[in-house]
Amino acid sequence: MKEEGAARGQAWDVNLYDRSFGFIAEFGAGLVEMLAPRPGERIIDLGCGIGQLSAQIAAMGCEVIGIDADSEMIDLARRKYPDIRFICALGENFSLDAPADAVFSNAALHWMKQPEPVIANVARALRPGGRFVAEMGAHRNVVTITEALYQALAEQSVAREAVEFPWYFPRSGVYVSLLEAAGFDVTHLNYFARPTPLDNCPNGLSDWIRMFGRNFLAAAPSGGEAQMIARAEELCRRRLCPDGRWMTDYTRLRFRAELFDG
Ligand code: BEZ
């Protein structure tokens, strides 16, 4: 997570990300299995964040290029994994000197609010027959959290329209159409709910909101942020923390697509 970070005005707390949001990469392990990297392949990790999955794929004998829009994430990735090439660029305009065998992306595409140019750029980066394997937040992702944030803001007299919704959470059919229009054949697609525990967040949902909910916090009246977070947490508690363990209401779109080799 990661794409559209500093380059688009979202400043990330990379140390908090590293400390408390390791689950993002942990849940990506199954996606690496779907990627099925082969030694010697050239693989782009799009929205690589601090590079944990880039490193996992590189350890399988691949040449990995990690790409992320956030320069602080890229700096940390370079420090953690000095043998891997990391580039700071946007999904819609990164370019490489040679075509890739695969583009991989975990929990990043939903930060790229204009999917067409991103998908077109992924297609440009691949060799014919290359694969695009990704997982992203999808329709109804974090809806309990966002509705609670809107309500907490409304209670401070802030209208929904004051928040620039930061994400793109498509229905599966919409994303498939975009992939097909760009020349991909979709060979696997799964839309599913994946409640995700926040076990490494000492302050539970508040940490998640502080990490990812910047646009909501920015809309709060000056000095009203803490109240907004506390109220949103209270509104979510019955559904997302019924037994004392915070779980986010994630939904996922996971797909594998191949670039038509005609
Ligand atoms: C997600 O992975 O679904 C996600 C992460 C941060 C903010 C919004 C969604």
Side-chain angles (χ1 to χ4, degrees):
M1 99 205 95
K2 298 165 289 175
E3 178 67 16
E4 297 200 357
R8 297 254 169 91
Q10 161 102 41
W12 295 98
D13 180 343
V14 290
N15 294 314
L16 176 64
Y17 186 86
D18 195 12
R19 229 176 21 249
S20 297
F21 294 91
F23 67 81
I24 295 171
E26 283 159 27
F27 275 102
L31 192 65
V32 174
E33 273 175 41
M34 182 184 283
L35 174 69
R38 292 184 286 274
E41 283 193 314
R42 181 178 165 90
I43 295 180
I44 295 170
D45 181 4
L46 180 58
C48 63
I50 58 175
Q52 306 102 310
L53 293 175
S54 309
Q56 207 170 305
I57 297 165
M60 298 166 109
C62 301
E63 178 199 356
V64 178
I65 301 116
I67 296 178
D68 202 286
D70 187 277
S71 59
E72 290 194 29
M73 292 277 190
I74 288 291
D75 285 347
L76 185 53
R78 286 179 180 143
R79 286 201 299 279
K80 282 167 95 80
Y81 310 109
D83 295 336
I84 298 177
R85 184 173 162 207
F86 290 102
I87 298 173
C88 186
L90 295 170
E92 55 262 53
N93 64 16
F94 70 86
S95 72
L96 295 173
D97 39 3
D101 296 294
V103 173
F104 171 87
S105 183
N106 178 53
L109 294 173
H110 50 256
W111 291 98
M112 306 180 202
K113 289 179 70 179
Q114 294 194 314
E116 290 95 338
V118 172
I119 294 170
N121 202 31
V122 168
R124 259 194 302 277
L126 284 169
R127 65 164 171 77
R131 60 202 189 281
F132 183 17
V133 176
E135 184 176 304
M136 66 191 294
H139 180 60
R140 293 201 180 286
N141 195 37
V142 295
V143 72
T144 306
I145 301 172
T146 49
E147 284 308 313
L149 287 165
Y150 281 126
Q151 185 174 330
L153 283 172
E155 290 172 12
Q156 295 194 53
S157 307
V158 178
R160 290 176 91 90
E161 296 69 39
V163 180
E164 188 194 335
F165 192 77
W167 307 297
Y168 169 66
F169 296 140
R171 288 181 186 270
S172 46
V174 170
Y175 213 80
V176 167
S177 300
L178 295 176
L179 289 166
E180 288 177 348
F184 286 99
D185 291 330
V186 178
T187 56
H188 172 94
L189 180 80
N190 194 8
Y191 169 70
F192 56 102
R194 206 212 36 224
T196 301
L198 295 177
D199 292 345
N200 290 329
C201 293
N203 305 300
L205 188 62
S206 296
D207 284 344
W208 189 98
I209 295 171
R210 286 192 194 282
M211 184 75 209
F212 298 118
R214 294 291 172 86
N215 289 20
F216 293 87
L217 292 165
S222 169
E225 295 91 345
Q227 186 187 330
M228 185 196 78
I229 293 172
R231 178 64 178 140
E233 215 180 54
E234 187 186 339
L235 289 164
C236 289
R237 189 173 296 277
R238 190 178 53 85
R239 242 193 218 174
L240 303 185
C241 190
D243 51 10
R245 186 188 194 201
W246 280 104
M247 307 282 279
T248 56
D249 56 337
Y250 281 5
T251 62
R252 304 281 97 182
L253 183 61
R254 183 179 273 207
F255 64 85
R256 181 185 193 280
E258 282 174 23
L259 192 60
F260 180 66
D261 182 8

